Amino acid sequence: MKKYSEFEIEISDIKFPNIGLADVDGFPIEVKGALPGQRLLIRLVQKGKVNKGKVLEVLQPAPREIAPACPVFGLCGGCAFGHIPYDYEVELKTKMIKQIFSPLNMEDKFLETLPAVSESRYRNKMEYSFGDDGEAGNLTLGMRKKGSYYEAVDASCCLLCHEDFGKIQSATLAHFVAKGEHFFHRRKGTGSLRHLQIRHGINTGELLVNLVTAGDGDYNDYAEMLLGLPLENKIVGVLNTVNNSLADAVRPEEVKLLHGHDYFYEDFSKDGHGMRYKIPAFSFFQTNTEMTERLYATIADFAGDLTDKTVFDLYCGAGTIGLYLAKSAKVKRVVGVEIVEDAIISAKENAALSGVDCEFIAGDVKNVVKELSESPDVIILDPPREGIVPKTIPHILAFGAQKIVYVSCKPTSLMANLPAFLEGGYKIGKIQCVDMFPRTANVEVVMELYR
């Protein structure tokens, strides 16, 4: 097989995250986004330790493949499974997660995957990118086009979020097209428009809009335009975040408040806990509100009886997990640690809102754990996608907690961290996949570790 050669393959299997596998006379090939059973014409674009193919044509669809409901599926980089029934999506996700942990022979540890309550309109946060439409160079706003650094696909039709998101996106694009403004081109250093973030309190009906730009512009007229839109929900805050870095990410160098406030509220009341959370613009909060309550219930179940016990909630964000546990059990004490200071401020306010006595500490977990002298009974770990910094794990182990509940949105990171916990005297209890992200390749994994 020569690089850039073209040939037909049939996808025989799939691995995380959404990578189809094929074998041609003992030559293994990976094709991103391919489904088992598809017959494809591909071009070999990478040869070596990993051989990768690019799809040129789908010669035969997968047995359970269906027509996608979204008109930009396949162009937009958001969804991975818009072309199969949801029950099959859950089946594939479960299979991929089990494959990751297969070297440890843990098949019997997995509980049945918790599917999402809703397959659509579940996301409470979207981040759109400004770009262009290719050769014509017209300003666009939407999801980054697959395989492109600068093109953006109109995602106002997105089925994963509330219709108000699409209205705000379309109005934003029309506003800046009329003003003749351009997107921020990182290589050329031209233009100012970078991202549009929208966050939604699904149970409160509150919207927080954040326009991310480079340079020092005046966007008060933009905020006024937004407030005049006919929306089902209410805009409670409009921000302008200034980010002059070259990284294609939202990094708040300066935040200007154009309207209202820089946070929104969300309520959890269906499960009887009556929790109310204040979520700042840059604080982490699970993107699927409806499934968050199920996720937290799973964490509480894995944590066990917390009566008169001390719980450490590390990487706590706005304190939502720790507060949920404190509200649902007679916990002796909850200590939360989070690097984002605004999130800790909100965590303290959330504790007051919920009538819960918790301590929240602002700082990097890898540093704070060295300073904590208490011995927790249970530790909750919900780190960022990249997992826990390896040097931090020995300090977590030193606490000697009877139980650890590890919550991971990237199971390969959990797998990378896991050997250190097993070598440190912990065993694996139950494992629960919770589908927080229908139609995407991601899935949340909750793992119980006990001494």
Side-chain angles (χ1 to χ4, degrees), residues 28 37 65 130 150 159 188 191 206 214 233 247 270 284 293 318 333 337 347 359 367 369 395 407 411 418 434:
E65 197 168 343
F130 285 94
Y150 299 111
L159 300 173
K188 298 178 181 178
E206 296 188 351
N233 296 277
K270 294 179 182 178
F284 172 77
E293 298 186 54
R333 179 167 160 76
V337 180
E359 180 182 358
N367 298 323
V369 291
H395 297 287
V407 186
L418 198 51
V434 184

Side-chain angles (χ1 to χ4, degrees), residues 369 388-398 406 416-418 420-421:
V369 291
I388 302 170
V389 176
K391 291 182 179 179
T392 305
I393 296 177
H395 297 287
I396 295 174
L397 295 172
Y406 194 128
N417 286 157
L418 198 51
F421 287 97

Side-chain angles (χ1 to χ4, degrees), residues 253-273:
E253 297 173 9
E254 181 185 2
V255 180
K256 303 175 183 178
L257 184 61
L258 305 180
H259 166 76
H261 38 72
D262 60 355
Y263 57 85
F264 67 99
Y265 285 103
E266 184 57 292
D267 290 336
F268 284 177
S269 56
K270 294 179 182 178
D271 57 8
H273 292 296

Side-chain angles (χ1 to χ4, degrees), residues 372-434:
L372 293 172
S373 57
E374 292 181 80
S375 297
D377 300 289
V378 176
I379 296 176
I380 310 297
L381 300 172
D382 189 9
R385 287 184 59 79
E386 59 268 22
I388 302 170
V389 176
K391 291 182 179 179
T392 305
I393 296 177
H395 297 287
I396 295 174
L397 295 172
F399 288 124
Q402 186 61 35
K403 186 172 286 189
I404 294 174
V405 181
Y406 194 128
V407 186
S408 174
C409 61
K410 188 179 180 183
T412 49
S413 296
L414 169 54
M415 182 59 182
N417 286 157
L418 198 51
F421 287 97
L422 299 179
E423 292 167 9
Y426 286 87
K427 292 185 178 182
I428 298 166
K430 296 173 288 188
I431 307 172
Q432 178 74 75
C433 297
V434 184

Side-chain angles (χ1 to χ4, degrees), residues 143-220:
M143 302 300 292
R144 191 67 72 202
K145 184 179 180 180
K146 284 184 178 180
S148 174
Y149 288 108
Y150 299 111
E151 291 184 60
V153 178
D154 181 6
S156 58
C157 58
C158 182
L159 300 173
L160 301 189
C161 54
H162 192 280
E163 292 91 336
D164 281 352
F165 283 54
K167 293 177 182 177
I168 293 172
Q169 180 202 327
S170 297
T172 298
L173 176 60
H175 177 83
F176 289 114
V177 166
K179 291 176 71 69
E181 297 205 28
H182 302 281
F183 80 97
F184 177 71
H185 197 293
R186 288 178 290 151
R187 181 170 56 83
K188 298 178 181 178
T190 56
S192 59
L193 302 172
R194 303 198 65 163
H195 298 96
L196 173 68
Q197 283 186 333
I198 305 175
R199 303 191 70 171
H200 181 202
I202 288 180
N203 292 327
T204 61
E206 296 188 351
L207 292 169
L208 186 64
V209 181
N210 182 13
L211 178 69
V212 184
T213 61
D216 187 24
D218 183 351
Y219 299 100
N220 286 289

